[in-house]
């Protein structure tokens, strides 16, 4: 089983509202790809919360979403600059206070993001899961959204993951934080000092890299057909979902990266973070 832990919220775009949150997107994608998934989060008892819960029910991942009557459902204001989304995250909402829930069955992978675990109540719950699920592989999606990160919390995430997924901007932050002059130096720090098994580095138009202490695998970006681009919301979440799905099934890093690149390009041809049925059929 795969656990996804963290935020679910409403992305308020200029012309519409779209349900989002990186762990929620990952959970839906993994479930659609045929995995046993448990999503752990919290919403408020308001219209946004009811809409989110209804979608979670539809996707069969609602079991561990709690409803809080004291906090409103999380929401984010989204603006686009050069086709890239910029997010303003609003504070003191339900997903900042996710309670611990019962996990039934064996957990193989535990996916978490740096955003949700930045908040102290979530961090404490996450630490309890980390201490209890000693056989699980912990996967961190470093998701640095100002002002909700700090150097100390980034280090906390590195110390609590086995697989690390980062993009170019997050990689630059790690280089500076660890005072590394080269990518190779940083890889060695992550492997030797933090005991991280695998690093997935997405590099935009330059493709993606998977590195562990034994090998390095690189794949080019999947080209989006001219005129098909819609938005980049959820592309990184889809990439991680497809990578995990394929790697779990094949144990082949190169095939997993290739599949992930294709899946992310499909999401960029889709409005929002969850593929339409038509595009999902193309992936299959």
């Amino acid at each position: 089983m795969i656990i996804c832990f963290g935020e679910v919220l409403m992305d308020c775009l200029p012309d519409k509202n779209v349900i989002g949150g990186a762990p929620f997107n990952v959970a839906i994608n993994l479930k659609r790809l045929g995995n046993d998934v448990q999503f752990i989060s919290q919403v408020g008892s308001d219209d946004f919360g009811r809409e989110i819960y209804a979608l979670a029910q539809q996707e069969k991942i609602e079991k561990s979403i709690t409803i809080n009557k004291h906090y409103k459902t999380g929401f984010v204001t989204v603006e686009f600059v050069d086709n890239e989304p910029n997010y303003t995250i609003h504070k003191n909402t339900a997903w900042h206070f996710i309670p611990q829930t019962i996990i039934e069955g064996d957990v193989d992978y535990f996916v978490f993001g740096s955003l949700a675990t930045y908040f102290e109540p979530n961090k404490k719950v996450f630490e309890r899961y980390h201490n209890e699920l000693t056989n699980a592989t912990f996967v961190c999606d470093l998701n640095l959204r100002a002002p909700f990160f700090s150097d100390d919390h980034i280090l906390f995430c590195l110390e609590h993951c086995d697989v690390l997924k980062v993009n170019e901007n997050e990689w630059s932050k790690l280089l500076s934080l660890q005072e590394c002059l080269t990518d190779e130096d940083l890889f060695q720090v992550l492997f030797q000092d933090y005991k991280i098994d695998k690093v997935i580095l997405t590099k935009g138009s330059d493709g993606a890299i998977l590195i562990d202490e034994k090998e390095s695998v690189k794949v080019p970006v999947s080209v989006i057909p001219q005129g098909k681009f819609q938005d980049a919301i959820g592309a990184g979440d889809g990439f991680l979902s497809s990578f995990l799905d394929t790697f779990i099934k094949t144990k082949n890093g190169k095939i997993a990266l290739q599949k992930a690149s294709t899946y992310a390009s499909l999401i960029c041809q889709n409005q929002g973070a969850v593929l339409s049925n038509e595009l999902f059929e193309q992936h299959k």
Side-chain angles (χ1 to χ4, degrees), residues 9-28:
L9 42 80
M10 191 67 73
D11 286 328
C12 300
L13 280 66
D15 58 343
K16 61 182 175 179
N17 296 330
V18 178
I19 298 171
F24 184 70
N25 296 336
V26 171
I28 288 181

Side-chain angles (χ1 to χ4, degrees), residues 23-170:
F24 184 70
N25 296 336
V26 171
I28 288 181
N29 285 313
L30 284 170
K31 186 70 173 180
R32 287 186 168 192
L33 290 166
N35 298 277
D36 181 13
V37 179
Q38 185 171 343
F39 175 63
I40 301 174
S41 192
Q42 183 165 240
V43 297
S45 58
D46 48 28
D47 288 344
F48 280 174
R50 283 185 282 274
E51 187 175 343
I52 288 169
Y53 197 83
L55 176 60
Q57 284 183 307
Q58 177 183 314
E59 300 291 342
K60 298 181 172 58
I61 59 168
E62 82 284 358
K63 182 179 179 181
S64 295
I65 299 177
T66 55
I67 299 173
N68 191 305
K69 296 181 179 180
H70 304 291
Y71 293 99
K72 59 188 176 183
T73 300
F75 66 104
V76 174
T77 304
V78 185
E79 297 179 325
F80 289 91
V81 178
D82 297 328
N83 288 325
E84 289 293 326
N86 288 313
Y87 303 88
T88 301
I89 301 167
H90 299 276
K91 300 178 180 179
N92 294 318
T93 58
W95 66 267
H96 298 171
F97 307 92
I98 302 170
Q100 188 168 9
T101 190
I102 296 172
I103 296 175
E104 298 176 357
D106 295 330
V107 178
D108 301 304
Y109 286 82
F110 191 109
V111 182
F112 71 100
S114 58
L115 182 56
T117 51
Y118 173 81
F119 299 94
E120 195 63 27
N122 294 342
K123 182 178 177 181
K124 290 179 179 178
V125 169
F126 168 78
E127 285 186 294
R128 290 198 289 271
Y129 283 132
H130 190 271
N131 291 335
E132 293 169 5
L133 302 173
T134 55
N135 293 324
T137 296
F138 279 75
V139 180
C140 177
D141 182 6
L142 206 61
N143 194 5
L144 303 182
R145 304 288 190 203
F148 303 115
F149 68 87
S150 66
D151 290 353
D152 285 345
H153 184 61
I154 292 172
L155 298 181
F156 171 87
C157 292
L158 298 182
E159 291 163 355
H160 288 80
C161 75
D162 305 296
V163 177
L164 176 66
K165 184 253 181 187
V166 294
N167 63 25
E168 286 182 294
N169 291 334
E170 294 151 0

Side-chain angles (χ1 to χ4, degrees), residues 10 15 18 20 24 40 60 72 84 102 152 172 177 192 202 216-217 249 263 268 270 280 282-283:
M10 191 67 73
D15 58 343
V18 178
F24 184 70
I40 301 174
K60 298 181 172 58
K72 59 188 176 183
E84 289 293 326
I102 296 172
D152 285 345
S172 295
L177 181 60
Q192 294 176 11
T202 59
S216 171
V217 178
K249 294 171 180 175
Y263 199 84
C268 289
N270 181 82
F280 186 74
Q282 287 186 34
H283 177 76

